[in-house]
Structures are given as structure tokens and as C-alpha cells.
């Protein structure tokens, strides 16, 4: 029951921001709004499918292929958004000259380590795919933070990194489903993910307003 | 037991003849229709295989793996067409819709053969709902591809990302229509409403 309520909250947040990104996208007709719209939509559809399964069948799907594919797509769109909006074309040379150039390379190490940890519970293919996608997303998020575009702090990359870390938080706590106290951490991190979602739109709008000035 | 191959031969044979006999401008459309039906047939085999491998019953497979397999199989002729012929955006949209219609038509004929033709209301709901769902999924693919195809670097990643909303929408539809009553009615109505919205607001664009 708590999972249904908490998923419903995330779905409501996603619906609002799907509509908002669609409205802004149809007004301004820029790629970033399309990417943002697809990101929100893919996550919404994945969550809606999960919620449907909980509502109709009272349990999560045995094979979560459909929702996993939607979430992969959402993460890919978020990666594309970060890459097109926050990463400069000469990022490789700028990263080499940065004192924190080793930091982005920690992200694939982290995601691979987490994938190996989660594989003890099965779902080998899914964990490998998540490790690759999250590794790339977190890599570019950290690059965007270290080498900010136009020397302005990349709040979009910070939001993306927080989203990834909260997502990993939910996955870690979901492993302790037998202990109801520890499992509460899953709901906390999922709510935190829901609270980070609006910031992608807010930071893009803020960047637009900054560029106009 | 339904012999879907026999149904396929009965439906595909006239189409194949028409492909050879019609003019070039019609051949593309008929080939797309034929490809849709072929995808549907092959999807059935792959669904049965995956159900056996993953040890799923039919009721679970309908919403857990069938949508992904069917949408990917529907998308394969599209990928072939895109990569080999490099068509204009308008042609892509039309071909995707025709492939989806071919798929839906064959699926409905198989359903008809397996479940009989007695209940007209149920058949209307099934025919319109499922047909509209496949068309909506096709439209999602068409819109997505028209947005990403111009940028070469986006194509590979974009294909996956474009396929996903179609798969999820299909799965949600299957969940809703597999339960009787209001759920079946709403599930069947949603794709029809979406098509109406598209025709009213976006067709001209």
C-alpha cells in the first residue's frame, strides 16, 4: 500500500512536468525541451506500468522488461540532455587540464561495483545495462560540474548526479526487503528522486532566462 | 487449435500478387502491409519461445514480455527501410503506420478465428481498441524517428529511446484490456481518444 501511494506521488510529479515540458517545448521548439519531455515521459511510462502491475496484480512483475526498457530510455534521454546542453565540444582537452580530471572516471568504477553487488540477487543483463547507462550519465554529469559551461555552475549536472545517487539508494535498500525497518530507506530515496525531478525543468528555464539577459 | 500459418498464407497471398501487379507508388504501401503481417506471425513464434524459456504462463506473458517482442518485431521492417532506402520523413511516417495496421489486422484475424464471431460488441471493442493501440504505437515511433533521424549521432541511441514509450504503452494497454468491465472499456478507449487528439491538433503539422 505504501509503495502504491509513494509511486502515485512520483507519477503525479512526472505528469505535471511532462505537461510543462510539452508546453515549453511547443512554444520554444528547441531540442532541449524535446529531450526533457521524452525523459519525463519515459520515466512516467515506466512508473505507470509498475503502478498498473501493483494495482491489478498486487505485486511487481516477475520479468520487469517493459519498465526497465522505459527507464533505460529515460536515462539515455537525460544523458543526451546533459551532453548537448552542459558539455562543451572541447571537453576532452579541458578535462585533461583540470586538476579534478580523475573524478569522472570514478563513476564507471562505482556503477560496475554496484552492478557486481546487485548481481548476487540475479538479473545479470539488466544490471550490466544499468551499469553502462548510469556510468555514462554520471561521467558526463561530473564532467559538467568540473568544467562548467560558460563558467557558470552546472545545476543541471548536479541534479542529474543527485538523481543517479538517489536511484542507487533505492536499489540498495530494495535488497533488504525482508527487513521492514531498513526497507523504509527505499521509500525515502524514492521520494528524494521525486523531489529532484522538477529541478531539471527549473534549471533549464533558469538557463534560458540567463541567456536572454 | 489455430493454424496461424494458414491464415497468414490466405491473407498474404493476395497481397504478394498485388505487390507484383501494382504500380511503383503502391508497391511500397503493400510491402509495408505485408511486412506488418509477417512481423505479427514471427512475433507469435518468439513469444511462445520466450514464454517457454522464462517459464511464464500466457496471462503473465501478455503484459510482461509480449509488448516488447511485438514492438521490436514491428520496428525491424522500419529499421530496414530507414537504413537501406533513407526515405524522407513523410514517407517514414506513412510506412510505419501501414506496418502497424498490417500487424493489427493479422492479429485481429487470428483473434477472430480463435474466439469466434458471435459477440459483435466485444469484437468492435477488440478490433477498434487493438487496432488503434497499434496505430498509436506506430505514431509514437513515427514522431520519435522524425525528430531524431536528421542527426546521425542520435540515430542509434534514439531508436531505443523512441521504441520504449511504444512498448510501455502497449504493455499498459494489454494490462487494462485483459481485465473485464470498466478497465476493458477504458483501455480500449484511450488509444482512440489519442488518435482523435492527434487528428484534431497535430495532423496539419
Amino acid at each position: 500500500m505504501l509503495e502504491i501511494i509513494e509511486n502515485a506521488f512520483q507519477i503525479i510529479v512526472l505528469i505535471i512536468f511532462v505537461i510543462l515540458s510539452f508546453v515549453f517545448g511547443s512554444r520554444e521548439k528547441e531540442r532541449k525541451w524535446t529531450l526533457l519531455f521524452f525523459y519525463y515521459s519515459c520515466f512516467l511510462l515506466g512508473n505507470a506500468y509498475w503502478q498498473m502491475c501493483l494495482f491489478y496484480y498486487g505485486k511487481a512483475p516477475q520479468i520487469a522488461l517493459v519498465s526497465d526498457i522505459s527507464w533505460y530510455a529515460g536515462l539515455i534521454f537525460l544523458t543526451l540532455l546533459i551532453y548537448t546542453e552542459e558539455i562543451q565540444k572541447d571537453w576532452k582537452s579541458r578535462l585533461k587540464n583540470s586538476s579534478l580530471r580523475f573524478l569522472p572516471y570514478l563513476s564507471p568504477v562505482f556503477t560496475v561495483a554496484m552492478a557486481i553487488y546487485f548481481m548476487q540477487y540475479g538479473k545479470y543483463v539488466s544490471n550490466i545495462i544499468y551499469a553502462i547507462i548510469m556510468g555514462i550519465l554520471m561521467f558526463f554529469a561530473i564532467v559538467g560540474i568540473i568544467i562548467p559551461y560558460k563558467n557558470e555552475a552546472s545545476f543541471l549536472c548536479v541534479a542529474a548526479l543527485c538523481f543517479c545517487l538517489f536511484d542507487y539508494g533505492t536499489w540498495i535498500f530494495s535488497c533488504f526487503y525482508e527487513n521492514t525497518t531498513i526497507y523504509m530507506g527505499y521509500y525515502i530515496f524514492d521520494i528524494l528522486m521525486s523531489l529532484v525531478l522538477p529541478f531539471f525543468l527549473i534549471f533549464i528555464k533558469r538557463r534560458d532566462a540567463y541567456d536572454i539577459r | 487449435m489455430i493454424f496461424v500459418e494458414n491464415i497468414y498464407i490466405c491473407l498474404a497471398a493476395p497481397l504478394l500478387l498485388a505487390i507484383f501487379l501494382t504500380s511503383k507508388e503502391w508497391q511500397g504501401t503493400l510491402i509495408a502491409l505485408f511486412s506488418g503481417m509477417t512481423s505479427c506471425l514471427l512475433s507469435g513464434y518468439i513469444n511462445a519461445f520466450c514464454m517457454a524459456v522464462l517459464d511464464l504462463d500466457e496471462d503473465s506473458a501478455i503484459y510482461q514480455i509480449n509488448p516488447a517482442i511485438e514492438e521490436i518485431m514491428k520496428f525491424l521492417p522500419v529499421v530496414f527501410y530507414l537504413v537501406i532506402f533513407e526515405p524522407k520523413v513523410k514517407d517514414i511516417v506513412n510506412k510505419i503506420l501501414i506496418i502497424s495496421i498490417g500487424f493489427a489486422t493479422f492479429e485481429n484475424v487470428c483473434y477472430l478465428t480463435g474466439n469466434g464471431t458471435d459477440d459483435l460488441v466485444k469484437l468492435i471493442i477488440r478490433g477498434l481498441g487493438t487496432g488503434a493501440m497499434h496505430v498509436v504505437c506506430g505514431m509514437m515511433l513515427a514522431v520519435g524517428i522524425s525528430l531524431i533521424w536528421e542527426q546521425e549521432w542520435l540515430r542509434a541511441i534514439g531508436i531505443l529511446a523512441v521504441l520504449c514509450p511504444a512498448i510501455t504503452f502497449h504493455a499498459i494497454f494489454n494490462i487494462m484490456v485483459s481485465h473485464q468491465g470498466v478497465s476493458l472499456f477504458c483501455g480500449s478507449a484511450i488509444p482512440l481518444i489519442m488518435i482523435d487528439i492527434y487528428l484534431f491538433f497535430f495532423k496539419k503539422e
Side-chain angles (χ1 to χ4, degrees), chain A residues 22 29 31 34 38 42 45-46 48-49 52-53 56-57 61-63 65-66 69-70 72-73 76-77 80 83-84, chain B residues 54-56 63-65 67-68 144 147 151 153-154 157 160-161 164-165 167-168 171-172 175-176 178-179 183 202:
Chain A
F22 180 77
K29 295 197 190 317
R31 182 188 297 164
T34 309
F38 277 121
C42 288
L45 285 170
Y49 171 78
M52 286 285 193
C53 290
Y56 278 93
Y57 302 102
Q62 183 185 337
I63 309 287
L65 177 65
V66 174
I69 288 177
S70 277
Y72 298 154
I76 289 170
F77 277 122
L80 287 173
Y83 186 78
T84 53
Chain B
L54 297 169
D55 193 27
L56 281 175
Y63 69 94
Q64 291 187 32
I65 56 168
L147 289 170
Q151 303 291 332
W153 64 276
L154 260 180
I157 307 163
L160 170 66
C164 298
I167 290 172
T168 316
I172 292 173
I175 290 174
M176 291 183 79
S178 59
H179 293 80
S183 178
F202 301 107

Side-chain angles (χ1 to χ4, degrees), chain B residues 60-101:
Chain B
S60 301
I62 279 173
Y63 69 94
Q64 291 187 32
I65 56 168
N66 287 6
I69 291 167
E70 289 178 10
E71 291 303 320
I72 290 169
M73 289 304 295
K74 238 174 20 179
F75 194 63
L76 288 178
V78 176
V79 171
F80 178 82
Y81 179 61
L82 285 167
V83 170
I84 302 298
F85 295 98
E86 295 192 359
K88 293 178 192 166
V89 170
K90 187 182 162 189
D91 290 336
I92 297 169
V93 171
N94 288 335
K95 293 293 182 296
I96 290 173
L97 289 179
I98 300 296
I99 289 169
S100 303
I101 287 165

